[in-house]
Structures are given as C-alpha cells and as structure tokens.
Amino acid sequence: MALVCLLTLLDHCRIKLATRGNKTEQVVPLIWSSCLAAPTVAAYVFFMELQTYVLHVDKWLNAIALAFVSSEIALSLFVMMLFVRAYGLPDCWNCRI
C-alpha cells in the first residue's frame, strides 16, 4: 500500500514538472521529469511482474501505464532538443525548478 501511495506522489510530481517545463519552455524541469520517470517505470514493472499475486487486469493497466510513461519520456526528449536548439543550453546557475 505504501508503494502505491509513493507512486502516486512521484507521478504527480513528475507530471507537474513536465507541465511546468512545457508551459515555460525550460529544459531543467523536463530533465527532472525524465529523471523521475525511471523510478516510476520501475514501480510499474514491479506491479506488473514482481508482485506475488497479479491479476490480468493489473497487467493490462500497468502495461498501458508503461506505454504512456514511455511515450512521455520520448516526447519530452524531443521537446528538450527543440528547446535547446531554439534557446541554447540553459545557464544552470540561474535555473529554477
């Protein structure tokens, strides 16, 4: 139960950072969002494959969630490349998260 609550909090923070990075066209929140995607993917894989008792519905829902997170990672990497190309590399001393 604790892992589900942690995953919910982690997903919320990840999506908020990605939204902020897209709206303000900043690379740093998108990088943090991509970094938070790794534990999210690990949690979904755990829920899909490594739990003791997993229903077929759980497998389908977690597979759909993994597909969404994977597409978000790919799209955020693409958008980061566009932002860097348009605005240059961020000055990390003045970056705000």
Side-chain angles (χ1 to χ4, degrees), residues 39-51 62 66:
T40 304
V41 167
Y44 284 130
V45 169
F46 172 78
F47 287 136
M48 193 166 70
E49 297 294 330
L50 301 175
Q51 269 186 333
N62 286 313
L66 277 173

Side-chain angles (χ1 to χ4, degrees), residues 56-69:
H56 289 291
V57 173
D58 291 331
K59 286 191 177 193
W60 281 103
L61 289 176
N62 286 313
I64 291 169
L66 277 173
F68 275 117
V69 171

Side-chain angles (χ1 to χ4, degrees), residues 3-17:
L3 191 57
V4 173
C5 294
L6 182 66
L7 177 64
T8 304
L9 180 66
L10 191 64
D11 242 357
H12 178 73
C13 292
R14 184 181 59 81
I15 291 172
K16 280 294 210 186
L17 282 169

Side-chain angles (χ1 to χ4, degrees), residues 22-87:
N22 267 342
K23 288 181 181 176
T24 60
E25 295 184 357
Q26 291 180 350
V27 176
V28 176
L30 290 173
I31 291 172
W32 278 105
S33 172
S34 297
C35 290
L36 288 177
T40 304
V41 167
Y44 284 130
V45 169
F46 172 78
F47 287 136
M48 193 166 70
E49 297 294 330
L50 301 175
Q51 269 186 333
T52 304
Y53 185 71
V54 180
L55 299 174
H56 289 291
V57 173
D58 291 331
K59 286 191 177 193
W60 281 103
L61 289 176
N62 286 313
I64 291 169
L66 277 173
F68 275 117
V69 171
S70 301
S71 65
E72 287 172 12
I73 292 170
L75 288 173
S76 79
L77 289 175
F78 177 70
V79 168
M80 279 189 272
M81 288 190 307
L82 290 177
F83 290 164
V84 167
R85 214 178 266 169
Y87 303 114

